[in-house]
Amino acid sequence: MIKKSLLLSCALVLFGCTYGQNYLENPETLIQDPHFANYKENRDGLERQYLHKEITYAEYIEQRDHLDAKYDREVQERTNKIISQE
C-alpha cells in the first residue's frame, strides 16, 4: 500500500512539473535555465535591432552593457541566496 502511494505521488509530481511543457519534442528545455533564456532572448532581440539598423552601434553597446550588468546582478543575487541557504 505504501509503495503504491509513493509511486502515485511521484507520478503526480512528475506530471505536475511537466504539465504544459513538451519535453519529448524539445528535451533541451528540461534543463534550460529560464533566467538565462530570458536574458538570451533580450540580447538576441537587441542584436536584431542593431542588424536591422533600428538603433545605432553606440545605442546597441550601451543597451547591451546595461543588459549584461543587469543579468550579472541577478545571477549574483541568486547565487547569494543559494549560498546563504546552505
Side-chain angles (χ1 to χ4, degrees), residues 6-35:
L6 183 60
L7 183 60
L8 179 62
S9 297
C10 289
L12 289 174
V13 167
L14 181 62
F15 177 74
C17 291
T18 61
Y19 181 74
Q21 304 292 327
N22 197 348
Y23 294 118
L24 296 177
E25 290 181 12
N26 240 349
E28 65 273 3
T29 60
L30 182 62
I31 56 173
Q32 183 178 17
D33 178 8
H35 185 76

Side-chain angles (χ1 to χ4, degrees), residues 2 7 20 26 32 59 74 85:
I2 292 176
L7 183 60
N26 240 349
Q32 183 178 17
E59 291 171 325
E74 291 171 353
Q85 291 179 357

Side-chain angles (χ1 to χ4, degrees), residues 2-64:
I2 292 176
K3 287 183 181 181
K4 288 182 183 180
S5 297
L6 183 60
L7 183 60
L8 179 62
S9 297
C10 289
L12 289 174
V13 167
L14 181 62
F15 177 74
C17 291
T18 61
Y19 181 74
Q21 304 292 327
N22 197 348
Y23 294 118
L24 296 177
E25 290 181 12
N26 240 349
E28 65 273 3
T29 60
L30 182 62
I31 56 173
Q32 183 178 17
D33 178 8
H35 185 76
F36 177 75
N38 186 37
Y39 161 76
K40 178 113 172 74
E41 182 179 320
N42 289 337
R43 179 116 184 221
D44 290 347
L46 185 61
E47 187 173 335
R48 204 172 305 110
Q49 285 180 329
Y50 171 67
L51 293 174
H52 289 123
K53 300 182 193 258
E54 296 170 3
I55 59 175
T56 66
Y57 183 71
E59 291 171 325
Y60 166 73
I61 294 297
E62 180 183 343
Q63 291 179 24
R64 185 199 65 188

Side-chain angles (χ1 to χ4, degrees), residues 35 38-39 42 65-75:
H35 185 76
N38 186 37
Y39 161 76
N42 289 337
D65 290 347
H66 176 72
L67 186 63
D68 289 347
K70 180 182 174 200
Y71 177 72
D72 290 341
R73 277 192 313 273
E74 291 171 353
V75 168

